[in-house]
Amino acid sequence: MALLSLLSSKVSLSALAVGLSTFVSNTVAQTSFNCTEFFVPVSISAQTVELNLGSPHNQSELTSLVTRMTYLESTIVDEVTVGPSMVNATYNIWSQLCVPDGFEEDGVIEFTIHGGTENHTYFNFGKESPYNYAEAALKAGHAIFTYDGLGVGNSDKPDGIQEVQIGTETAVAIALVEKLPSLLSFGKVVGVGHAHGRYDN
């Protein structure tokens, strides 16, 4: 319950109101930890690219678009790019913070960014599995922050063409990192990215 008290005193009321949803205690190979799930409202201003491209209406259009994009001599980027644009918006991002018992104020928190086709579960699957990254981090005494990227999982799903771009995803990641000190006292943040997520790190 110490983490819940810490969150109550350090998270803004708006973040709590948006949804502190779950408080879970777990034990993994003699490592006790607490995980809390919540939504974090993030306000961003990000440079994007305006695209003259509508949403595919069916699987055939989507397949055609992907084929055109991945063709070696594809010119689709030049064909659909209108020019630079800006996104100014607030999004609710589903997040999870797991903290091992006895976490020190100068400890390490790992900030994870999943790949483009995954969500937060990429880092936390298969309980007590040798491939469960979150459990390995907790066993090492690190706190770990995972989240569903913009347009994925439980996070907000804005326009997938005009808004969900690398610029907005990077701005969301930066905003979340900036909010970490309000959630937990720590000494160092380590960024962990997989595939597409490595570009945001």
Side-chain angles (χ1 to χ4, degrees):
M1 295 307 265
L3 178 61
L4 194 54
S5 299
L6 177 67
L7 285 171
S8 298
S9 65
K10 295 211 173 189
V11 176
S12 70
L13 291 178
S14 61
L16 286 173
V18 172
L20 182 61
S21 59
T22 307
F23 184 75
V24 183
S25 291
N26 292 299
T27 302
V28 178
Q30 281 74 47
T31 301
S32 295
F33 59 92
N34 295 313
C35 292
T36 307
E37 300 174 3
F38 48 95
F39 285 91
V40 179
V42 295
S43 297
I44 64 157
S45 180
Q47 184 169 346
T48 56
V49 177
E50 183 181 350
L51 301 172
N52 184 17
L53 183 65
S55 298
H57 293 98
N58 54 47
Q59 188 63 43
S60 178
E61 286 186 16
L62 178 60
T63 302
S64 175
L65 176 62
V66 170
T67 302
R68 288 182 63 207
M69 289 173 59
T70 56
Y71 178 63
L72 186 59
E73 297 174 8
S74 175
T75 59
I76 190 169
V77 172
D78 294 331
E79 293 171 26
V80 301
T81 299
V82 176
S85 185
M86 289 295 293
V87 169
N88 296 292
T90 298
Y91 303 112
N92 290 309
I93 305 299
W94 183 95
S95 306
Q96 182 181 62
L97 176 63
C98 294
V99 181
D101 288 352
F103 184 76
E104 301 288 338
E105 288 190 0
D106 63 348
V108 172
I109 182 168
E110 298 193 28
F111 180 86
T112 64
I113 304 174
H114 59 75
T117 60
E118 291 97 22
N119 60 22
H120 75 281
T121 60
Y122 178 82
F123 294 100
N124 189 10
F125 66 91
K127 190 172 182 180
E128 298 184 33
S129 161
Y131 305 108
N132 188 313
Y133 186 88
E135 288 181 358
L138 291 161
K139 286 179 190 176
H142 297 177
I144 186 164
F145 183 91
T146 58
Y147 69 99
D148 285 342
L150 190 60
V152 176
N154 295 313
S155 291
D156 282 354
K157 296 173 180 63
D159 186 310
I161 294 174
Q162 304 300 338
E163 288 185 66
V164 182
Q165 296 183 12
I166 195 72
T168 50
E169 293 181 64
T170 301
V172 165
I174 291 168
L176 289 171
V177 169
E178 289 173 347
K179 288 182 182 278
L180 289 179
S182 70
L183 301 173
L184 182 70
S185 295
F186 57 87
K188 181 179 181 181
V189 177
V190 174
V192 180
H194 166 70
H196 171 78
R198 75 183 189 275
Y199 296 113
D200 294 339
N201 259 326

